[in-house]
CSV table of all heavy atoms in Angstrom, one decimal:
chain,number,residue,atom,x,y,z
A,156,LEU,N,127.5,101.0,129.6
A,156,LEU,CA,126.4,101.2,130.6
A,156,LEU,C,126.5,100.2,131.7
A,156,LEU,O,126.8,99.0,131.6
A,156,LEU,CB,125.1,101.1,129.8
A,156,LEU,CG,123.8,101.6,130.5
A,156,LEU,CD1,123.9,103.1,130.6
A,156,LEU,CD2,122.6,101.2,129.9
A,172,ASP,N,135.4,102.7,108.8
A,172,ASP,CA,135.0,102.4,107.4
A,172,ASP,C,134.2,103.5,106.8
A,172,ASP,O,134.1,103.6,105.6
A,172,ASP,CB,134.2,101.1,107.4
A,172,ASP,CG,135.1,99.9,107.7
A,172,ASP,OD1,136.3,100.0,107.7
A,172,ASP,OD2,134.6,98.7,107.8
A,284,VAL,N,129.9,91.5,145.2
A,284,VAL,CA,128.5,91.6,145.6
A,284,VAL,C,127.7,91.0,144.4
A,284,VAL,O,126.7,90.2,144.7
A,284,VAL,CB,128.1,93.0,145.9
A,284,VAL,CG1,126.6,93.1,146.2
A,284,VAL,CG2,128.9,93.5,147.1
Side-chain angles (χ1 to χ4, degrees):
L156 199 67
D172 289 349
V284 174

